[in-house]
Each structure stands twice: as structure tokens, then as C-alpha cells.
Amino acid sequence: MPVGELFNPRSIALVGATDKSGWSISTLTNLRTHGFRGPVHLVNPRGGVVHGEQAHRSLSDIPGQVDLAYVMVPTTAVLTVLREGAKLGIRHYVILTAGFGETGPEGAALETEIVDFARENDLTVLGPNGNGFINAAADVTPYGLPIPSPLLRGSVGVVLQSGALASSVLGFAQARNVGISLLTSMGNESLVTVTDVIDYLVDDPATKAIALFLESVRDPAAFSRAARRALLAGKPIVALKIGRSRLASRTAQAHTGALVGDDNVIDAAFRQLGVVRVRSLEDLIITAGLLAEVGPLPGPRIGVVTPSGGASEIIADRAEDEGLELPAFAPETVARLREIVPAFGTVQNPLDVTGYVLIDRTLLGRALEAVTADPGVDAVMLLSDLPRVAPPDPAPVYATYSASAKRIAEAPMPVVVVSNVLTDVTEFGRDVQRQAGFPYVAGGIEHGMHAIGAAVRWGRAYRAAVATGGAAPARAAVSAPVVETATGVWAEHRAAALLSSAGIPVVPGELVHDEESAVAAAVGFGYPVVLKAAAEGLGHKSDIGGVRLGLSDARDVDRAYREVVAAAAAVPGAGRVGALVQPQRGGGVELLVGVVRDPAWGLTLAVGLGGIWVEALRDTALRVLPVDAAEVRRALDELRGAALLRGARGAEPADLDAVAEVVARVAALAESLGDDLESLEINPLLVRGSHVEALDALITWRG
């Protein structure tokens, strides 16, 4: 839904204005004191004087056109206002009033009436149950809570699925000198959605970064489309998504379900979409502020210039947490720094220029100039606080910060300024920053290092998106098998046949129903062999004692057959029971490859260390489908156990390209099976050098 006209009205009516309402008082005060230049009309059914101004009895009494109606009437009167406004040609509404879908069935029915009427009459509605918005870039502030002064105008767009937190977020942004372009409180999202606002901000020239507070992603497909647009446009999205789930399993059978929880899927989806996920409101604003200032950082190699040895050690620790590198300075940089840093200082990265900065105010700036010329770093972090209290003679302070600002502006690489701790920027500090042209200062080493790491990761995602034109990954080519009865749980023998028909390498096997056939199959494969119970609906065979390994002769096979069949027959509803005979495989690394259907995001791939330890180790990387082999390679590299695949302790390294191709083919097969598929799992997928082979498989169908 286009929302440009909603956020840029030329005239506003406050419907339900009354001296008894703090919402009404705040909204009018915000419009009057923060620059709105159009007419503001007050509407109260009794007329008279409201907030010291003459009020109209209805929208119909207002002379001239109204672009936006800000509705504060009782719940049951909202639809009446919309009906009157629609007749008058008013197309845009903010509904502050609560008492709709958030309260239960009766409120939901009222909200449905509003939605139906708005759609029939082509109305744009923000809310209900929201505070409105602050379009700081255009000086339009129909917002129901007090706006602290000064309202800082800047380039961060803020979208919140919370009314109560909006003012706190705004206050923190202003305390850290982060200017906003637009802030909107979404309310119930009955018509205007988070996605609609993201689309607006992507096209808004005043916005450089987008900050989201999300309780839910209501339409993952629409969100994904908008996020890809933002990424290609070079506008980073930073999101604080709450509501982590401990959902243990999506299906009763697949291991994958225990590994793919709601929050893990959202992590994977955000990573693939280039959305930076943070865990606190502070990180939301600080990271968005940094990305709006510096954009994508070109790489993870960071040079650090500080006036503190202790801070250098904290930075080194946090750099490792964030996956950042602190490379040694080049010899020419070291030589230059030795001419600058006092003799009692140590020239290394991170660089502590020592407390001599209190004597030589040029020391930090000159060291910064040397480090930004180093060919081995991608960006430089400068530890510098804004001044808090004006000295008797502030002129030297302004001069020092102006000189540093000039060096930063002329540096051949990005310079990120971070303060020691998270404190409010004072009025004096704000004035120094403004007059000196000093850049944004990320608040505190903890949050600043997180923001730098996010800028590096987002830069990587942005460059990849630009290189591919934002195209979705190409699916592996598989022939969609014909599935006639897609119900229940397909045990291994049936699942393996489906995998094999799609060109996925599967260990050979023979389904047998008596001891003699089992022995004959074992002889055909050659000893040693494996015997597994086989029956429709039978999932975890090991849990019931239905697997025998390393069988080396006919007597072993005969006894194992009777044991696994008896174990399976004891399972309620097992039906006809037999056994699957396979050649024994050994060596290599065992992986889990599973695809499970997330109720919101759809089919999701999990790849990780497998075998019997899969749930104990939980070393898994997730991707929302579709994926290609290149994306699978990146997922494999994320595993804690990736060293095993690379050949740890002299073991044969795996052919990771071959592994990625097989996994991508499994993912493509899962997509080809349609909406009836609940999960498809291979555990384990044996990897030994270039040999890749599924040793066990399970498929669960919805219903």
C-alpha cells in the first residue's frame, strides 16, 4: 500500500480533540511546536473552544480540504468518522483509538468492519491502537505522545510494532545525537503494514538506514521482497525482533524439527536478506546510526587508534567476538607512528597513543592520519568521546575537534568513531559536534564494536546482492518425482528410493521379509552389513533397538533379522514389518541434512554434524529455501565442526563443493515435492573425500 501521501499531508484534522485527553494535547503541541506549516483543525462534537482554539462539530464543518484525519474518538465511533471522511474525500487516517483486534473477538469484529470499509473506499489507515508518526524530514508530527526537544532530524527511519516503546526509542536516539527521518508506531497494522513503511523508506531520499522493532513478521514473503529492495538500494535494515520461541519440534519424527525453532529460522532469514539483527534497543539505534553515517565497511580488517591501554584490550576481545581482524601495522606505518607516539608507548594494533594526548592535542589526530594510510586495514576505529562540559575557554576544544573532523573527512578509508562508554551527548558536546563537523559517535565500546561488526557483515551482504542483481539463488536441477500417496511417515526404504530417483547418491539397500532373504542380500553386498527394521510409519529405528551394525556372517544376519523385526512389531500400528539390508560404511564425517516446513517462512534447510550426536551437539546452520550450492558452502563454513570437514588431525579433507552440490540437490527436491511435504531428512549423509552418500533417510508428509 503506498503511504507517501499519508506521511506528507498539507492539512490535518484532529478528530475527538478534547482538553481532557493528554493524547489530544500532545498531538496538537507536537504539530504546533515542531514545524508543521499547514492548517490543523480541531473536531469535537460539542464545538466550542478546545486547547484554546475554536473547534468544529464535525469534519463536514471544516472549510477546505483535509489531507489527514487523526482519529481519537471512542472505539464504536471510529467507523462513523471514516464514513463521514470518505464522503468528503479524506483518504488518509491515523487511528489512535484502541479496543480493536488486540482486545478479543468483539474488538476484532469492529476492526474487520473498518478494514472492509477502508478497502472498499480506497482509504489508507495507520493503526488502530497506534500513536501516529513523526515525519521529521518534512516537519509533520501527528504523534500522540510528547516529543522531546530538540527534535533531531537525520537519516534513520524507525518503524515500531510497539507504541509504549516509541518515546523511549526517540529519547535514546536524541540522547545519542541520532537524527531520524521518520518514526512510526504501527499499532494493529490493520491496513498499513511494516512492509509498506519499509517500501516508503527505501524510496525516501531523506533516509539512509532503517531501524525496526518487531514483535512478529506478519507476512514473510512481503517482508522478504521489501528487505531485498532495501539491500539493493544500499539502505541497511537493522531489526530488533523479540519473542524467541523454545518450540522443540515441528514433527514427531525428524531430528531437524528439534533444531529449527522459530527464532533460529528468523535468524537465518534475516541473514540471507541482509537484515542486521540486534538484541537490544541500544544496539538498534546505535547500529542504525552508524550504518547511516558510514554505510558498508569494505572488510573486517580494523585499525584501532585509542588513548587508552585498557580500552585497547577490551576492543581486542570484542573484535574477536564480532569476527573482526586487528592485523599488525605495515612496516611503513610502524615507522611513521614511532615518530608520533611518545617513546614510552608501544606501536601496535590496537594503538594506544598514551595519556600524552592531554599535553599534545594533535597526537590522536596525527596517529589517526598514519593508520588510515596503512594498506593492510579496511577501516579505522577511533576511540574518542565528545566533550561533556564547556571549559572557560572552549576555543581550543572546537579547534581540536575541527582538525580531527577534517582528517576523518579526508581519510582514504572509513573512520568509525566510538566513545568509551554509553552516556548521553550533552548540549555542549552536541554543539561541538555540529560546529566542528565531527562525525557520528557510536555510544560505548560494547555497542560500538557490535555496530562495526554489523557494518562489515552488512557490507558483505550488500556487495553480494549488487553482484547478483538481487536475484534469488538458482535451484539445483532435479526431476520432480511422481508421488502418488503423500501421507504419513515414509520410512527409510521408501524415502531412499525417492532420493535416488532425484539423482541423490544413496547407499544401496534391499528390503527383505525373511531370514533367508536377509542372508542372501548380505552375501550379495558383501560383509560386513547393516540390518535395520523397516515398516511404514517407523521413524527412529535406533530408539526401539531396530538397528544392528557390523554383521559379519550369516549367523549374525539371521539373529539380527529376528531381533529388529521383533522390536519393530512391538511398535503400535507398525503394520507389515521387514528389514533393510545395506553394506556397512565407515570413516569420513557424518552430516545431517534436513528440510522442515516453518509455518511462516516455509521450507528451511538445516545442515550440520549428524549421526547419533545431532541433537546433543546442535551444530547446525540454517537457510530458508531456495538455496544454491554457493549458499550451502557458506552454511558449511559456519559450523563449529567445519574443521572436521577440512581434514582435522591429518584426516582426509572433504570435497566441500561436492557436498554442497548434493545438499543443494536435496533442497531442490524438497521444493519440488509441493505443499504436502512436512520434512525430509538425511541422517547421516556420509562424507569421505569426494564420496558423498545418504546412509539413512526419513520423509514426513503433512497430515
Side-chain angles (χ1 to χ4, degrees):
M1 173 178 289
V3 292
E5 292 182 4
L6 169 72
F7 292 138
N8 292 275
R10 291 167 296 180
S11 58
I12 299 174
L14 305 186
V15 186
T18 170
D19 290 325
K20 299 178 181 179
S21 167
W23 305 99
S24 180
I25 294 168
S26 293
T27 306
L28 181 62
T29 300
N30 291 335
L31 289 166
R32 295 288 192 224
T33 60
H34 292 292
F36 182 63
R37 292 176 289 276
V40 179
H41 308 283
L42 306 182
V43 178
N44 183 295
R46 296 185 178 86
V49 175
V50 177
H51 306 326
E53 301 180 19
Q54 184 63 46
H56 303 280
R57 292 182 181 274
S58 69
L59 286 170
S60 301
D61 291 343
I62 297 174
Q65 178 63 37
V66 172
D67 293 330
L68 173 68
Y70 190 91
V71 182
M72 301 175 284
V73 301
T75 307
T76 55
V78 171
L79 187 55
T80 301
V81 173
L82 265 62
R83 285 174 175 152
E84 181 186 11
K87 290 180 181 178
L88 298 169
I90 303 173
R91 295 188 56 248
H92 307 294
Y93 298 81
V94 171
I95 302 178
L96 175 83
T97 310
F100 291 93
E102 77 279 6
T103 63
E106 187 175 339
L110 290 173
E111 188 169 326
T112 299
E113 284 189 73
I114 288 174
V115 170
D116 291 343
F117 179 82
R119 286 178 174 156
E120 290 169 6
N121 292 272
D122 195 25
L123 307 182
T124 304
V125 176
L126 176 63
N129 188 32
N131 293 328
F133 65 87
I134 301 169
N135 186 350
D139 298 326
V140 183
T141 53
Y143 183 72
L145 295 172
I147 298 174
S149 292
L151 174 58
L152 297 182
R153 291 152 178 84
S155 54
V156 176
V158 183
V159 188
L160 302 159
Q161 283 181 332
S162 170
L165 287 176
S167 291
S168 296
V169 169
L170 180 62
F172 180 74
Q174 299 197 175
R176 285 306 312 165
N177 224 21
V178 177
I180 65 166
S181 56
L182 175 79
L183 180 146
T184 180
S185 170
M186 297 305 303
N188 291 1
E189 293 186 64
S190 62
L191 275 164
V192 173
T193 67
V194 166
T195 302
D196 295 327
V197 183
I198 294 173
D199 276 330
Y200 170 81
L201 293 172
V202 170
D203 296 327
D204 176 29
T207 300
K208 293 182 179 177
I210 301 167
L212 307 178
F213 176 86
L214 300 173
E215 294 172 345
S216 65
V217 179
R218 303 190 183 195
D219 186 343
F223 181 88
S224 298
R225 177 191 52 76
R228 289 191 185 97
R229 282 192 69 226
L231 185 60
L232 278 174
K235 294 195 176 184
I237 295 178
V238 183
L240 171 57
K241 168 67 178 68
I242 61 169
R244 297 186 219 171
S245 170
R246 289 183 176 267
L247 183 64
S249 178
R250 300 194 185 290
T251 69
Q253 299 291 337
H255 287 289
T256 311
L259 301 171
V260 181
D262 292 348
D263 199 62
N264 294 331
V265 175
I266 288 168
D267 260 348
F270 281 11
R271 190 180 307 113
Q272 287 170 257
L273 295 168
V275 174
V276 175
R277 191 173 186 189
V278 296
R279 302 290 182 182
S280 70
L281 290 171
E282 293 85 356
D283 279 328
L284 177 67
I285 296 304
I286 290 169
T287 303
L290 177 67
L291 282 164
E293 175 80 14
V294 304
L297 292 182
R301 302 174 303 170
I302 309 298
V304 180
V305 180
T306 86
S308 165
S312 296
E313 294 172 5
I314 297 173
I315 291 166
D317 288 344
R318 287 293 289 117
E320 186 171 312
D321 297 339
E322 295 294 335
L324 301 171
E325 303 170 20
L326 304 180
F329 292 134
E332 58 268 30
T333 305
V334 172
R336 186 174 175 187
L337 287 171
R338 281 180 177 153
E339 296 176 357
I340 298 171
V341 176
F344 53 84
T346 302
V347 174
Q348 62 184 16
N349 189 21
L351 175 67
D352 170 20
V353 300
T354 77
Y356 204 73
V357 292
L358 297 175
I359 298 172
D360 181 357
R361 293 182 178 272
T362 71
L363 177 57
L364 198 66
R366 289 186 293 126
L368 173 66
E369 195 172 73
V371 174
T372 56
D374 191 292
V377 299
D378 301 308
V380 173
M381 171 184 168
L382 173 65
L383 196 69
S384 177
D385 284 281
L386 289 168
R388 296 185 57 79
V389 179
D393 179 12
V397 175
Y398 284 95
T400 298
Y401 279 87
S402 294
S404 293
K406 186 173 184 296
R407 284 190 171 98
I408 291 170
E410 295 174 351
M413 63 182 61
V415 176
V416 179
V417 185
V418 178
S419 63
N420 282 277
V421 294
L422 181 60
T423 55
D424 291 356
V425 179
T426 66
E427 283 305 314
F428 177 62
R430 200 187 308 274
D431 188 65
V432 169
Q433 188 171 23
R434 181 175 57 252
Q435 291 201 37
F438 200 74
Y440 169 72
V441 179
I445 295 172
E446 170 67 25
H447 301 289
M449 292 300 293
H450 180 78
I452 292 172
V456 169
R457 292 187 290 274
W458 183 80
R460 192 178 300 128
Y462 170 64
R463 289 186 292 273
V466 171
T468 61
R475 295 173 175 85
V478 297
S479 299
V482 177
V483 179
E484 295 179 355
T485 55
T487 59
V489 176
W490 283 14
E492 180 179 355
H493 62 285
R494 198 172 179 189
L498 184 67
L499 293 172
S500 182
S501 70
I504 294 163
V506 178
V507 64
E510 184 174 333
L511 180 65
V512 298
H513 289 92
D514 56 58
E515 292 92 329
E516 292 79 9
S517 299
V519 171
V523 171
F525 288 128
Y527 292 104
V529 296
V530 175
L531 219 69
K532 303 175 182 177
E536 287 302 323
L538 184 61
H540 296 307
K541 300 175 288 293
S542 297
D543 294 348
I544 63 165
V547 178
R548 296 292 184 273
L549 305 175
L551 306 176
S552 58
D553 57 32
R555 182 179 298 178
D556 285 347
V557 172
D558 187 279
R559 182 178 62 253
Y561 178 86
R562 292 194 300 273
E563 290 172 350
V564 300
V565 167
V571 176
R576 188 186 185 196
V577 177
L580 186 66
V581 184
Q582 298 171 329
Q584 176 87 38
R585 299 292 197 228
V589 178
E590 293 185 344
L591 296 180
L592 163 84
V593 178
V595 177
V596 67
R597 188 176 299 278
D598 180 85
W601 293 89
L603 294 177
T604 303
L605 170 72
V607 58
L609 294 185
I612 62 174
W613 302 108
V614 56
E615 290 184 35
L617 297 176
R618 302 183 72 85
D619 185 13
T620 310
L622 304 184
R623 294 295 188 273
V624 176
L625 300 190
V627 295
D628 56 16
E631 189 63 40
V632 174
R633 273 295 307 263
R634 287 189 283 272
L636 292 170
D637 288 339
E638 292 173 10
L639 299 175
R640 296 192 303 276
L644 297 176
L645 292 168
R646 299 188 189 105
R649 293 185 175 270
E652 182 182 11
D655 183 343
L656 292 177
D657 288 334
V659 177
E661 288 291 345
V662 171
V663 175
R665 183 174 289 273
V666 173
L669 170 63
E671 289 188 280
S672 76
L673 294 175
D675 294 339
D676 289 335
L677 179 70
E678 179 64 37
S679 68
L680 184 161
E681 180 175 284
I682 298 172
N683 184 31
L685 180 75
L686 178 66
V687 180
R688 189 174 59 244
S690 60
H691 178 80
V692 183
E693 187 178 46
L695 302 188
D696 201 344
L698 184 71
I699 296 176
T700 305
W701 302 96
R702 301 173 81 176

